[in-house]
Amino acid sequence: MNVLFIEDDRMNRRVVRDMLGVAGAVMAEAESAEEGLTRIDEGDYQVILIDLRMPGMDGITAIGHIRSRGDDKGRVPIIVVTADTALDLRARCLAAGADDVIFKPVAMDDLFEAMGKVLAKGAEGGGVIA
């Protein structure tokens, strides 16, 4: 499985890469939303993980760009990975097109549960995956 993690913090990327490695997944990294959008153009991913607060374009705006694509890459499941604890955060992320939200510090169980849920939802035809 190929996963893209769009996150400006190197340590957070390393922790998640190590977790995904346990499951045999391959993780591509992007340090900014802009770089992430370029990586989406260049590669194929089964899941996109994205932080909300990054220099330049924020995660919500990047999700909008991804979802506005007219191709299959615009329907890849997106999981927000954030330290933000605003009460309306989950609703805002889902309204923007995210499939799920998990919180930092990332726990392996939470990451794998969210990935399993969004992939299963797509496989049933109920998610954003074609």
PDB file of all heavy atoms in Angstrom, residues 81-104:
ATOM      1  N   VAL A  81      -4.536  14.423  10.062  1.00  0.00           N
ATOM      2  CA  VAL A  81      -3.730  14.105  11.244  1.00  0.00           C
ATOM      3  C   VAL A  81      -3.369  15.457  11.866  1.00  0.00           C
ATOM      4  O   VAL A  81      -2.595  16.215  11.299  1.00  0.00           O
ATOM      5  CB  VAL A  81      -2.454  13.327  10.855  1.00  0.00           C
ATOM      6  CG1 VAL A  81      -1.634  12.996  12.094  1.00  0.00           C
ATOM      7  CG2 VAL A  81      -2.799  12.070  10.069  1.00  0.00           C
ATOM      8  N   THR A  82      -3.934  15.753  13.035  1.00  0.00           N
ATOM      9  CA  THR A  82      -3.797  17.100  13.579  1.00  0.00           C
ATOM     10  C   THR A  82      -3.664  17.118  15.095  1.00  0.00           C
ATOM     11  O   THR A  82      -4.103  16.195  15.771  1.00  0.00           O
ATOM     12  CB  THR A  82      -5.006  17.970  13.161  1.00  0.00           C
ATOM     13  OG1 THR A  82      -4.821  19.301  13.612  1.00  0.00           O
ATOM     14  CG2 THR A  82      -6.308  17.425  13.737  1.00  0.00           C
ATOM     15  N   ALA A  83      -3.080  18.198  15.582  1.00  0.00           N
ATOM     16  CA  ALA A  83      -3.031  18.454  17.019  1.00  0.00           C
ATOM     17  C   ALA A  83      -4.121  19.445  17.419  1.00  0.00           C
ATOM     18  O   ALA A  83      -4.318  19.715  18.595  1.00  0.00           O
ATOM     19  CB  ALA A  83      -1.659  19.016  17.407  1.00  0.00           C
ATOM     20  N   ASP A  84      -4.825  19.987  16.438  1.00  0.00           N
ATOM     21  CA  ASP A  84      -5.890  20.958  16.687  1.00  0.00           C
ATOM     22  C   ASP A  84      -7.039  20.277  17.420  1.00  0.00           C
ATOM     23  O   ASP A  84      -7.444  19.178  17.044  1.00  0.00           O
ATOM     24  CB  ASP A  84      -6.382  21.518  15.346  1.00  0.00           C
ATOM     25  CG  ASP A  84      -7.266  22.730  15.495  1.00  0.00           C
ATOM     26  OD1 ASP A  84      -7.913  22.891  16.537  1.00  0.00           O
ATOM     27  OD2 ASP A  84      -7.315  23.530  14.537  1.00  0.00           O
ATOM     28  N   THR A  85      -7.558  20.913  18.443  1.00  0.00           N
ATOM     29  CA  THR A  85      -8.637  20.307  19.225  1.00  0.00           C
ATOM     30  C   THR A  85      -9.901  21.165  19.233  1.00  0.00           C
ATOM     31  O   THR A  85     -10.735  21.032  20.120  1.00  0.00           O
ATOM     32  CB  THR A  85      -8.180  20.055  20.682  1.00  0.00           C
ATOM     33  OG1 THR A  85      -7.774  21.301  21.252  1.00  0.00           O
ATOM     34  CG2 THR A  85      -7.057  19.040  20.732  1.00  0.00           C
ATOM     35  N   ALA A  86     -10.049  22.025  18.247  1.00  0.00           N
ATOM     36  CA  ALA A  86     -11.252  22.858  18.169  1.00  0.00           C
ATOM     37  C   ALA A  86     -12.493  21.972  18.132  1.00  0.00           C
ATOM     38  O   ALA A  86     -12.495  20.894  17.521  1.00  0.00           O
ATOM     39  CB  ALA A  86     -11.191  23.747  16.925  1.00  0.00           C
ATOM     40  N   LEU A  87     -13.551  22.425  18.789  1.00  0.00           N
ATOM     41  CA  LEU A  87     -14.768  21.626  18.895  1.00  0.00           C
ATOM     42  C   LEU A  87     -15.385  21.297  17.538  1.00  0.00           C
ATOM     43  O   LEU A  87     -15.928  20.211  17.353  1.00  0.00           O
ATOM     44  CB  LEU A  87     -15.797  22.345  19.766  1.00  0.00           C
ATOM     45  CG  LEU A  87     -15.417  22.486  21.243  1.00  0.00           C
ATOM     46  CD1 LEU A  87     -16.482  23.273  21.995  1.00  0.00           C
ATOM     47  CD2 LEU A  87     -15.206  21.119  21.881  1.00  0.00           C
ATOM     48  N   ASP A  88     -15.299  22.216  16.596  1.00  0.00           N
ATOM     49  CA  ASP A  88     -15.911  21.996  15.295  1.00  0.00           C
ATOM     50  C   ASP A  88     -14.942  21.426  14.261  1.00  0.00           C
ATOM     51  O   ASP A  88     -15.280  21.322  13.084  1.00  0.00           O
ATOM     52  CB  ASP A  88     -16.521  23.288  14.772  1.00  0.00           C
ATOM     53  CG  ASP A  88     -15.471  24.350  14.448  1.00  0.00           C
ATOM     54  OD1 ASP A  88     -14.336  24.267  14.970  1.00  0.00           O
ATOM     55  OD2 ASP A  88     -15.794  25.266  13.671  1.00  0.00           O
ATOM     56  N   LEU A  89     -13.763  21.041  14.703  1.00  0.00           N
ATOM     57  CA  LEU A  89     -12.722  20.602  13.779  1.00  0.00           C
ATOM     58  C   LEU A  89     -13.153  19.422  12.917  1.00  0.00           C
ATOM     59  O   LEU A  89     -13.020  19.454  11.697  1.00  0.00           O
ATOM     60  CB  LEU A  89     -11.443  20.231  14.532  1.00  0.00           C
ATOM     61  CG  LEU A  89     -10.359  19.649  13.633  1.00  0.00           C
ATOM     62  CD1 LEU A  89      -9.639  20.769  12.912  1.00  0.00           C
ATOM     63  CD2 LEU A  89      -9.414  18.792  14.406  1.00  0.00           C
ATOM     64  N   ARG A  90     -13.659  18.379  13.527  1.00  0.00           N
ATOM     65  CA  ARG A  90     -14.051  17.177  12.777  1.00  0.00           C
ATOM     66  C   ARG A  90     -15.090  17.534  11.714  1.00  0.00           C
ATOM     67  O   ARG A  90     -14.968  17.124  10.558  1.00  0.00           O
ATOM     68  CB  ARG A  90     -14.581  16.112  13.722  1.00  0.00           C
ATOM     69  CG  ARG A  90     -14.932  14.819  13.027  1.00  0.00           C
ATOM     70  CD  ARG A  90     -15.319  13.723  14.031  1.00  0.00           C
ATOM     71  NE  ARG A  90     -15.518  12.471  13.373  1.00  0.00           N
ATOM     72  CZ  ARG A  90     -14.566  11.686  12.905  1.00  0.00           C
ATOM     73  NH1 ARG A  90     -13.309  12.009  13.054  1.00  0.00           N
ATOM     74  NH2 ARG A  90     -14.844  10.559  12.298  1.00  0.00           N
ATOM     75  N   ALA A  91     -16.080  18.314  12.085  1.00  0.00           N
ATOM     76  CA  ALA A  91     -17.122  18.701  11.132  1.00  0.00           C
ATOM     77  C   ALA A  91     -16.540  19.517   9.982  1.00  0.00           C
ATOM     78  O   ALA A  91     -16.916  19.313   8.820  1.00  0.00           O
ATOM     79  CB  ALA A  91     -18.224  19.485  11.847  1.00  0.00           C
ATOM     80  N   ARG A  92     -15.620  20.434  10.284  1.00  0.00           N
ATOM     81  CA  ARG A  92     -14.994  21.242   9.228  1.00  0.00           C
ATOM     82  C   ARG A  92     -14.187  20.376   8.273  1.00  0.00           C
ATOM     83  O   ARG A  92     -14.225  20.568   7.059  1.00  0.00           O
ATOM     84  CB  ARG A  92     -14.104  22.334   9.823  1.00  0.00           C
ATOM     85  CG  ARG A  92     -14.868  23.498  10.406  1.00  0.00           C
ATOM     86  CD  ARG A  92     -13.978  24.662  10.803  1.00  0.00           C
ATOM     87  NE  ARG A  92     -13.064  24.293  11.882  1.00  0.00           N
ATOM     88  CZ  ARG A  92     -11.737  24.418  11.823  1.00  0.00           C
ATOM     89  NH1 ARG A  92     -11.155  24.926  10.772  1.00  0.00           N
ATOM     90  NH2 ARG A  92     -10.988  24.055  12.842  1.00  0.00           N
ATOM     91  N   CYS A  93     -13.452  19.414   8.822  1.00  0.00           N
ATOM     92  CA  CYS A  93     -12.630  18.539   7.981  1.00  0.00           C
ATOM     93  C   CYS A  93     -13.499  17.660   7.086  1.00  0.00           C
ATOM     94  O   CYS A  93     -13.220  17.516   5.892  1.00  0.00           O
ATOM     95  CB  CYS A  93     -11.722  17.671   8.849  1.00  0.00           C
ATOM     96  SG  CYS A  93     -10.422  18.588   9.694  1.00  0.00           S
ATOM     97  N   LEU A  94     -14.551  17.090   7.651  1.00  0.00           N
ATOM     98  CA  LEU A  94     -15.441  16.247   6.859  1.00  0.00           C
ATOM     99  C   LEU A  94     -16.161  17.064   5.795  1.00  0.00           C
ATOM    100  O   LEU A  94     -16.307  16.615   4.656  1.00  0.00           O
ATOM    101  CB  LEU A  94     -16.435  15.514   7.763  1.00  0.00           C
ATOM    102  CG  LEU A  94     -15.812  14.522   8.758  1.00  0.00           C
ATOM    103  CD1 LEU A  94     -16.893  13.919   9.649  1.00  0.00           C
ATOM    104  CD2 LEU A  94     -15.013  13.438   8.063  1.00  0.00           C
ATOM    105  N   ALA A  95     -16.569  18.279   6.138  1.00  0.00           N
ATOM    106  CA  ALA A  95     -17.228  19.159   5.163  1.00  0.00           C
ATOM    107  C   ALA A  95     -16.280  19.528   4.019  1.00  0.00           C
ATOM    108  O   ALA A  95     -16.716  19.712   2.877  1.00  0.00           O
ATOM    109  CB  ALA A  95     -17.748  20.418   5.848  1.00  0.00           C
ATOM    110  N   ALA A  96     -14.998  19.616   4.317  1.00  0.00           N
ATOM    111  CA  ALA A  96     -14.000  19.946   3.289  1.00  0.00           C
ATOM    112  C   ALA A  96     -13.699  18.769   2.379  1.00  0.00           C
ATOM    113  O   ALA A  96     -13.108  18.942   1.316  1.00  0.00           O
ATOM    114  CB  ALA A  96     -12.709  20.430   3.951  1.00  0.00           C
ATOM    115  N   GLY A  97     -14.090  17.560   2.798  1.00  0.00           N
ATOM    116  CA  GLY A  97     -13.852  16.385   1.964  1.00  0.00           C
ATOM    117  C   GLY A  97     -12.987  15.316   2.582  1.00  0.00           C
ATOM    118  O   GLY A  97     -12.704  14.295   1.951  1.00  0.00           O
ATOM    119  N   ALA A  98     -12.533  15.524   3.823  1.00  0.00           N
ATOM    120  CA  ALA A  98     -11.751  14.485   4.503  1.00  0.00           C
ATOM    121  C   ALA A  98     -12.673  13.315   4.848  1.00  0.00           C
ATOM    122  O   ALA A  98     -13.881  13.486   5.013  1.00  0.00           O
ATOM    123  CB  ALA A  98     -11.109  15.035   5.773  1.00  0.00           C
ATOM    124  N   ASP A  99     -12.075  12.141   4.954  1.00  0.00           N
ATOM    125  CA  ASP A  99     -12.838  10.947   5.295  1.00  0.00           C
ATOM    126  C   ASP A  99     -12.794  10.629   6.784  1.00  0.00           C
ATOM    127  O   ASP A  99     -13.683   9.966   7.302  1.00  0.00           O
ATOM    128  CB  ASP A  99     -12.302   9.748   4.508  1.00  0.00           C
ATOM    129  CG  ASP A  99     -12.520   9.935   3.023  1.00  0.00           C
ATOM    130  OD1 ASP A  99     -13.644   9.709   2.566  1.00  0.00           O
ATOM    131  OD2 ASP A  99     -11.569  10.345   2.330  1.00  0.00           O
ATOM    132  N   ASP A 100     -11.743  11.091   7.460  1.00  0.00           N
ATOM    133  CA  ASP A 100     -11.625  10.840   8.894  1.00  0.00           C
ATOM    134  C   ASP A 100     -10.603  11.811   9.468  1.00  0.00           C
ATOM    135  O   ASP A 100      -9.875  12.482   8.721  1.00  0.00           O
ATOM    136  CB  ASP A 100     -11.200   9.404   9.173  1.00  0.00           C
ATOM    137  CG  ASP A 100     -11.641   8.896  10.545  1.00  0.00           C
ATOM    138  OD1 ASP A 100     -12.110   9.712  11.379  1.00  0.00           O
ATOM    139  OD2 ASP A 100     -11.516   7.695  10.800  1.00  0.00           O
ATOM    140  N   VAL A 101     -10.562  11.869  10.798  1.00  0.00           N
ATOM    141  CA  VAL A 101      -9.640  12.741  11.516  1.00  0.00           C
ATOM    142  C   VAL A 101      -9.044  11.939  12.667  1.00  0.00           C
ATOM    143  O   VAL A 101      -9.788  11.275  13.402  1.00  0.00           O
ATOM    144  CB  VAL A 101     -10.368  13.984  12.093  1.00  0.00           C
ATOM    145  CG1 VAL A 101      -9.414  14.860  12.875  1.00  0.00           C
ATOM    146  CG2 VAL A 101     -11.053  14.774  10.983  1.00  0.00           C
ATOM    147  N   ILE A 102      -7.713  11.996  12.810  1.00  0.00           N
ATOM    148  CA  ILE A 102      -7.055  11.434  13.988  1.00  0.00           C
ATOM    149  C   ILE A 102      -6.172  12.518  14.585  1.00  0.00           C
ATOM    150  O   ILE A 102      -5.838  13.492  13.930  1.00  0.00           O
ATOM    151  CB  ILE A 102      -6.255  10.148  13.681  1.00  0.00           C
ATOM    152  CG1 ILE A 102      -5.146  10.412  12.667  1.00  0.00           C
ATOM    153  CG2 ILE A 102      -7.185   9.032  13.217  1.00  0.00           C
ATOM    154  CD1 ILE A 102      -4.228   9.208  12.438  1.00  0.00           C
ATOM    155  N   PHE A 103      -5.829  12.331  15.847  1.00  0.00           N
ATOM    156  CA  PHE A 103      -5.151  13.386  16.579  1.00  0.00           C
ATOM    157  C   PHE A 103      -3.728  12.993  16.975  1.00  0.00           C
ATOM    158  O   PHE A 103      -3.428  11.832  17.202  1.00  0.00           O
ATOM    159  CB  PHE A 103      -5.973  13.764  17.816  1.00  0.00           C
ATOM    160  CG  PHE A 103      -7.322  14.306  17.437  1.00  0.00           C
ATOM    161  CD1 PHE A 103      -8.424  13.475  17.370  1.00  0.00           C
ATOM    162  CD2 PHE A 103      -7.470  15.643  17.111  1.00  0.00           C
ATOM    163  CE1 PHE A 103      -9.661  13.975  16.982  1.00  0.00           C
ATOM    164  CE2 PHE A 103      -8.692  16.155  16.731  1.00  0.00           C
ATOM    165  CZ  PHE A 103      -9.795  15.314  16.664  1.00  0.00           C
ATOM    166  N   LYS A 104      -2.887  14.018  17.030  1.00  0.00           N
ATOM    167  CA  LYS A 104      -1.504  13.868  17.484  1.00  0.00           C
ATOM    168  C   LYS A 104      -1.493  13.979  18.997  1.00  0.00           C
ATOM    169  O   LYS A 104      -2.289  14.728  19.549  1.00  0.00           O
ATOM    170  CB  LYS A 104      -0.621  14.977  16.896  1.00  0.00           C
ATOM    171  CG  LYS A 104      -0.524  14.963  15.387  1.00  0.00           C
ATOM    172  CD  LYS A 104       0.257  16.178  14.922  1.00  0.00           C
ATOM    173  CE  LYS A 104       0.262  16.304  13.418  1.00  0.00           C
ATOM    174  NZ  LYS A 104       0.898  17.554  12.990  1.00  0.00           N
TER     175      LYS A 104
END
